[in-house]
Amino acid sequence: MDDTITIRCTTAIDGCQYTCTMPVPRALWDDSSEEWRSEFLDTCRDRTAVYVRHETGVELTEQQTAGIAVALDRDEESEVLARLVTVTLFGGPLDGETVAVDLADPEPGIGIIAAGCSYPGGRSWYEPGADGRWAWKHDIPWGKCDG
């Protein structure tokens, strides 16, 4: 059994989706009260908004900040989460990191804000190859939505 769970926060800004993940020790989560969990998820939402603002250089509106969705990478949370699998990223600025992806997503790929991206505030684009490895393809400038 894995000793961590992953909190995944996503938001859409100007039609582009941004995703951040944060691990939390499973024992801490399992032993916490509902109130603590709720406050932790609110903190994750706020941290994601700050992270997106910092990485993109764009001030999010209150509506955009409120629109950040927080989900737990646990099978019992929803059908979508049940489809998520953790993959390891190869190449690019996020080499070796893991991220949860939905294999049923019609667009195979994910753009993730990365400090090492060649575009300030941009995202690094990863796609699955024929061998199943999620490899870096290129970086995406701020404001461009697809890979």
Side-chain angles (χ1 to χ4, degrees), residues 6-132:
T6 301
I7 308 292
R8 186 171 59 98
C9 299
T10 61
T11 188
I13 304 169
D14 298 331
C16 298
Q17 183 172 324
Y18 296 86
T19 302
C20 299
T21 59
M22 291 172 241
V24 64
R26 183 176 297 279
L28 176 63
W29 185 263
D30 290 343
D31 293 339
S32 64
S33 67
E34 286 298 318
E35 181 180 359
W36 184 90
R37 290 179 187 182
S38 178
E39 288 178 13
F40 184 84
L41 294 177
D42 287 343
T43 299
C44 290
R45 186 176 293 109
D46 293 341
R47 286 182 61 198
T48 299
V50 168
Y51 179 73
V52 170
R53 280 192 291 259
H54 178 264
E55 291 298 314
T56 63
V58 172
E59 189 67 28
L60 298 184
T61 65
E62 288 182 23
Q63 183 179 9
Q64 288 169 326
T65 299
I68 293 174
V70 180
L72 297 176
D73 184 12
R74 295 171 68 141
D75 291 342
E76 64 271 18
E77 294 298 323
S78 72
E79 287 181 28
V80 173
L81 288 175
R83 292 193 314 254
L84 293 179
V85 296
T86 301
V87 297
T88 301
L89 304 176
F90 292 91
L94 299 173
D95 186 45
E97 293 193 28
T98 59
V99 65
V101 297
D102 181 355
L103 296 179
D105 190 334
E107 182 175 340
I110 187 168
I112 304 171
I113 296 173
C117 180
S118 58
Y119 301 101
R123 291 165 291 143
S124 293
W125 186 260
Y126 289 82
E127 290 181 4
D131 59 359

